[in-house]
Each structure stands twice: as structure tokens, then as C-alpha cells.
Amino acid sequence: AQSVAQPEDQVNVAEGNPLTVKCTYSVSGNPYLFWYVQYPNRGLQFLLKYITGDNLVKGSYGFEAEFNKSQTSFHLKKPSALVSDSALYFCAVRGLDQGGKLIFGQGTELSVKP
Amino acid sequence: EPEVTQTPSHQVTQMGQEVILRCVPISNHLYFYWYRQILGQKVEFLVSFYNNEISEKSEIFDDQFSVERPDGSNFTLKIRSTKLEDSAMYFCASSRSWLRTYEQYFGPGTRLTVT
């Protein structure tokens, strides 16, 4: 079965510092991995995805993610955090079945303080 | 930029009542999804829909739930007889393809409160 784990419920970072939000996955076959962000009272916004190729994937708002097959991880990163990055971040893997559902991790609350 | 829209933003209903949640997916997308997020919990898949048929459904999506695409633009989720445990945020999503390489785009959600 496909699954995703986000080991940290909350990550606290000072503005200007680098941030990492962790994600590990368990899949059969090739993983198709996604990061979404949810701002308060908003829907989920797509940030980036890993399909194949370069292990470092660049996405929206200066975010990037590093795919590591040996560690089955797909950590989200940003070199310099902004207060406006404070939100709930979800890692997800695309399911194997015909419908292509997303299977989400439990989410990580990122708090960036000035 | 095209967006998925959902109405209403908040629905309050009494236990046992029927509710219909509405979504307008992105116009050139062919695959449609409903997810829900109970407060404080992860986002859970409910159902996927393509070519006027359910492609896949989760164990949550029992006989009380149904989906429909009544016209060329709307995609609806109906709960026939709501329970307290149906209280959640319901998200609609759409995708250009079911292929796993394609991302899904989510609407802002409908917060359903069952009293």
C-alpha cells in the first residue's frame, strides 16, 4: 500500500533562515510525489512535484524539494524563510489505481517568526 | 489563472438532512475528485470521477454519498442523510488526466457542520 509520513507536526523557523519540512514515503514502483500548501481558510495549493529525472525539484514561491530514493524521502526546502510562508504543508503520493487519487501525509504546520 | 470553485463556503445542516456540495472544476479538466478533511486530521480521498462514472471510491464513500456531473460545468457531492461525523471540510479537485504525473488543483473547500 502507498503511504506518506510527515514526522513533524510543527516546524518553527526564524525569518531568513533555511527551512526543511520532512516527508518520507512508502510506495510500490516509481513514486510520484507532490507538495501542497494550505493557508488558513483556503484550499490546497500545488507547490511542486517529483515525477522522474533530477532529484532536486523547484516549485512555486522559491520552494524546492529533494527526492532521495535510498532514504525514501522527499523533503521540502527553502533557502530563506518568509513570515508569509507560515502555513500547513502536505506531502502526497499519487495512488496506483485508475482514478489517480492523492494519498496525503498528516501535514506539518510551519511557523516562521520575524 | 483558472481555478476550481466551490459553493457554499460554509453549510450548516441538521443530522439526517440531505446536503449537496457544488464544485466547478477547471474547464479543460477531465478528472474530478472529492476529498475531506476532518478538523485536525489529514486530507482523505473520497471519490474520483471520469466520463460520468466513478473511477475509484474509498471506504468512506458509502451508500449515503453520491456524485454527479449534472451539466458540462458542475460537479456535485450529495450526502443523503448527514451524520455528526460528516462534519468536515470538503474539497473538490480536478486534473487534466488520471496519469500520475499530473497534479490536481483544489478548490477552497466547503465547511460542512452537522448539528
Side-chain angles (χ1 to χ4, degrees):
Chain A
Q2 316 260 88
S3 66
V4 169
Q6 294 178 243
E8 301 157 317
D9 290 335
Q10 184 156 14
V11 170
N12 297 308
V13 176
E15 188 174 32
N17 282 0
L19 70 87
T20 299
V21 182
K22 294 180 181 175
C23 171
T24 58
Y25 65 88
S26 173
V27 303
S28 307
N30 294 322
Y32 294 84
L33 297 158
F34 300 79
W35 274 102
Y36 283 82
V37 60
Q38 184 181 29
Y39 296 102
N41 301 313
R42 302 279 296 277
L44 293 97
Q45 294 180 34
F46 168 72
L47 274 181
L48 50 79
K49 64 183 177 184
Y50 173 81
I51 304 302
T52 188
D54 198 350
N55 289 343
L56 188 64
V57 179
K58 293 192 185 297
S60 307
Y61 313 122
F63 283 93
E64 56 192 27
E66 187 171 9
F67 172 70
N68 188 317
K69 189 171 183 178
S70 62
Q71 296 185 5
T72 62
S73 66
F74 188 54
H75 300 333
L76 182 70
K77 302 183 179 198
K78 189 172 182 182
S80 179
L82 300 172
V83 173
S84 57
D85 292 330
S86 298
L88 191 55
Y89 289 81
F90 290 96
C91 184
V93 64
R94 201 74 185 256
L96 289 173
D97 297 311
Q98 179 75 17
K101 68 187 176 198
L102 284 169
I103 299 161
F104 285 89
Q106 59 267 48
T108 298
E109 183 87 42
L110 174 66
S111 177
V112 182
K113 294 285 196 288
Chain B
E1 188 176 317
E3 289 182 334
V4 176
T5 59
Q6 290 184 243
T7 54
S9 57
H10 191 191
Q11 173 94 44
V12 181
T13 189
Q14 289 190 326
M15 198 166 54
Q17 295 297 304
E18 175 183 286
V19 293
I20 297 176
L21 310 183
R22 291 183 168 80
C23 167
V24 179
I26 294 173
S27 62
N28 64 346
H29 285 187
L30 301 175
Y31 282 79
F32 313 115
Y33 307 82
W34 284 100
Y35 294 83
R36 78 172 186 191
Q37 184 182 30
I38 294 172
L39 189 64
Q41 297 185 22
K42 67 167 74 175
V43 178
E44 301 173 289
F45 167 77
L46 291 178
V47 66
S48 58
F49 190 86
Y50 169 70
N51 200 27
N52 283 320
E53 287 185 351
I54 290 175
S55 301
E56 186 185 1
K57 59 182 180 179
S58 72
E59 55 195 29
I60 302 168
F61 194 89
D62 62 21
D63 292 344
Q64 292 301 311
F65 291 86
S66 62
V67 288
E68 194 178 35
R69 189 154 160 84
D71 53 43
S73 58
N74 288 286
F75 179 50
T76 62
L77 174 70
K78 182 193 290 186
I79 309 175
R80 289 193 184 81
S81 178
T82 50
K83 308 185 192 73
L84 293 175
E85 53 265 37
D86 293 328
S87 294
M89 182 73 94
Y90 287 81
F91 292 107
C92 173
S94 70
S95 180
R96 199 175 297 174
S97 168
W98 67 270
L99 290 173
R100 294 163 68 206
T101 55
Y102 282 79
E103 59 270 24
Q104 295 174 18
Y105 291 88
F106 284 75
T110 293
R111 181 168 298 284
L112 177 65
T113 302
V114 182
T115 61

